[in-house]
Amino acid sequence: MEKNNFKADKDLVLACIDGNKQAITALVKKWHVPFCRLAFYYVKDKEVAKDIAQESWKVILDKLASLQEPEKFKSWSTSLVKRKAIDYLRSDQRRVLKLQKLYAENRGETEVEENREEAILNYKVILSRELKKLPENQKVVVNLFYVQEYTLKEISDLLHISVGTAKSRLFHARERLKKIIKTYIV
């Protein structure tokens, strides 16, 4: 097998265009590490820089035949690598922005949920405090009706009052609590 000693990029590029596999290997050996370094300069990640260099090689080798001035291979190929690195940064930045937006939305939902839970807790505290302020006869009826789930008939039998009186006490307790709740809601 004949060994070719290519001195300039122009000679390597022309040989690559002609299909010389050794020239392709020599071109890659000569420029792969500088491409990785260039990509690393932009992305600051060794593995990503290697991927960018690899992707750049695919494009370079596909478009090499369209390079009209083979002596300008260095500037042409390095600008291609640079563009790939910048494209990566842009897409990475978009990905980061999407993640930040998603996080903010989720955080917002969490804050809304936390605020809702806090409001419910405050509401329960207020309601409990206001229930204690009710007159004893209303407090007993509310407790029997809502907490222990007695019917109005059972409450009237238990307290030895009429069903109408049980209804009346429950009604007045609810009205008083409604007024109090409205002041806290508005």
Side-chain angles (χ1 to χ4, degrees):
M1 198 178 255
E2 180 182 317
K3 191 169 187 176
N4 291 322
N5 288 327
F6 301 103
K7 295 187 178 33
D9 289 338
K10 177 182 177 181
D11 297 331
L12 282 171
V13 170
L14 291 172
C16 288
I17 292 170
D18 288 339
N20 184 324
K21 303 265 187 218
Q22 288 177 330
I24 294 171
T25 303
L27 191 65
V28 171
K29 279 185 181 178
K30 180 176 180 180
W31 285 103
H32 187 69
V33 172
F35 289 170
C36 288
R37 285 188 188 131
L38 178 62
F40 181 79
Y41 174 80
Y42 287 96
V43 299
K44 307 295 188 234
D45 183 314
K46 202 173 188 179
E47 296 305 314
V48 172
K50 287 179 185 177
D51 290 344
I52 289 170
Q54 191 65 36
E55 289 174 26
S56 298
W57 275 114
K58 290 176 189 173
V59 176
I60 289 168
L61 294 175
D62 284 345
K63 295 187 176 190
L64 196 58
S66 67
L67 182 60
Q68 293 177 353
E69 298 177 62
E71 62 276 359
K72 293 188 178 178
F73 174 79
K74 179 181 178 181
S75 62
W76 174 75
S77 60
T78 55
S79 70
L80 196 141
V81 173
K82 188 176 5 176
R83 276 190 311 244
K84 284 271 187 202
I86 291 170
D87 287 347
Y88 170 81
L89 290 174
R90 284 184 184 140
S91 70
D92 191 51
Q93 185 178 20
R94 283 190 296 269
R95 189 170 38 252
V96 167
L97 289 173
K98 282 181 185 176
L99 288 173
Q100 287 173 339
K101 183 180 176 186
L102 182 62
Y103 173 77
E105 288 171 357
N106 286 340
R107 182 67 190 138
E109 289 173 9
T110 303
E111 286 175 4
V112 167
E113 184 64 28
E114 288 171 359
N115 290 343
R116 191 172 82 68
E117 287 174 10
E118 185 178 334
I120 290 170
L121 182 62
N122 289 339
Y123 174 75
K124 285 180 179 179
V125 168
I126 292 165
L127 189 59
S128 175
R129 185 177 65 220
E130 295 304 321
L131 279 169
K132 289 177 185 173
K133 292 180 183 178
L134 287 174
E136 192 62 34
N137 61 2
Q138 291 177 4
K139 201 184 324 181
V140 170
V141 172
V142 167
N143 182 38
L144 291 171
F145 189 78
Y146 287 108
V147 178
Q148 297 182 26
E149 298 180 348
Y150 282 96
T151 66
L152 287 171
K153 172 75 173 117
E154 292 169 330
I155 293 170
S156 70
D157 291 341
L158 193 63
L159 297 178
H160 307 292
I161 56 174
S162 70
V163 174
T165 303
K167 273 186 191 179
S168 174
R169 289 179 184 174
L170 189 60
F171 172 79
H172 289 294
R174 281 194 287 221
E175 290 302 307
R176 183 172 176 173
L177 292 173
K178 280 182 197 176
K179 286 179 188 175
I180 293 164
I181 291 169
K182 283 181 183 179
T183 62
Y184 285 103
I185 292 175
V186 176

